Amino acid sequence: GFFLGGLLLTVIGFRSALFVLGALVGTALIVVLTMMRGSLGRGSARAKFAHMFSHTRAVNVLAAARMALFAARDVWFVVGLPVFLRTQEGWSFWAVGAFLGGWVIFYGIVQASAPSLLRRRGHGEPTGLTATWLAFALAALTAGIAVALQSDVDPSAVLVVGLLVFGVVFALNSAAHSFLILHYSEGD
């Protein structure tokens, strides 16, 4: 998405890029509607708001933490960071899209490697304490990036290096959360 967005903005501009992306989404919708067999299932009219929550407190706390974690990442990466890199640092659309696309790939590699990385550090299976420490490490790292941006260090260097380290810690945190959600839900 970042690669395509950066390329489209560079080559055809904002409005045309929106039309191309809209056409791609419309095409995908038509293909899905024509190729889908069966139905999506039926919703229950009796479902209550309380059914959205687990009976297990640990699952509810972890779900709230995941919402905050991913919402913060998405606001920062999908809105704030691209606008900052483009308007304040003068990066081209293509450079912003390439950096963020590469970051997502790097993040995915680290997340896929998280079980062996955590085991190698002697942590074994993640626990609630693992997720807590990783969350504090992520908060400290984010604060460190903010402090470094206020110093005389080149902002682009701070962001590139800081976000690569952030990607490692975030991916470990996300993997720990994914493991714990499955562990706490007890197969339900």
Side-chain angles (χ1 to χ4, degrees):
F2 285 120
F3 289 124
L4 180 61
L7 178 66
L8 289 174
L9 286 171
T10 300
V11 174
I12 62 175
F14 182 73
R15 285 181 184 237
S16 298
L18 287 179
F19 286 117
V20 168
L21 293 174
L24 289 172
V25 170
T27 302
L29 177 63
I30 291 168
V31 169
V32 166
L33 290 175
T34 57
M35 297 184 75
M36 187 174 76
R37 304 289 180 247
S39 70
L40 295 175
R42 295 179 183 232
S44 171
R46 293 184 238 176
K48 293 183 173 47
F49 182 74
H51 292 142
M52 288 179 42
F53 300 99
S54 173
H55 297 294
T56 308
R57 181 180 183 281
V59 170
N60 291 331
V61 169
L62 192 56
R66 285 179 70 80
M67 280 180 42
L69 182 72
F70 286 100
R73 182 209 57 193
D74 290 349
V75 166
W76 189 18
F77 273 83
V78 176
V79 179
L81 185 60
V83 170
F84 177 81
L85 292 174
R86 175 73 178 131
T87 61
Q88 300 300 309
E89 294 303 303
W91 288 25
S92 69
F93 290 125
W94 177 242
V96 172
F99 173 70
L100 293 174
W103 187 91
V104 170
I105 292 167
F106 170 73
Y107 165 85
I109 291 168
V110 173
Q111 189 171 20
S113 305
S116 63
L117 291 173
L118 288 172
R119 262 190 244 112
R120 204 173 303 147
R121 305 287 282 153
H123 296 294
E125 288 185 350
T127 65
L129 186 59
T130 307
T132 301
W133 281 110
L134 286 168
F136 280 119
L138 200 56
L141 178 60
T142 304
I145 292 171
V147 168
L149 285 172
Q150 299 301 314
S151 67
D152 290 333
V153 181
D154 176 38
S156 291
V158 168
L159 286 173
V160 169
V161 173
L163 293 176
L164 289 175
V165 176
F166 176 90
V168 171
V169 178
F170 191 94
L172 293 173
N173 199 332
S174 176
H177 279 206
S178 296
F179 173 83
L180 290 171
I181 274 289
L182 295 172
H183 181 70
Y184 291 156
S185 65
E186 299 171 359
D188 184 10

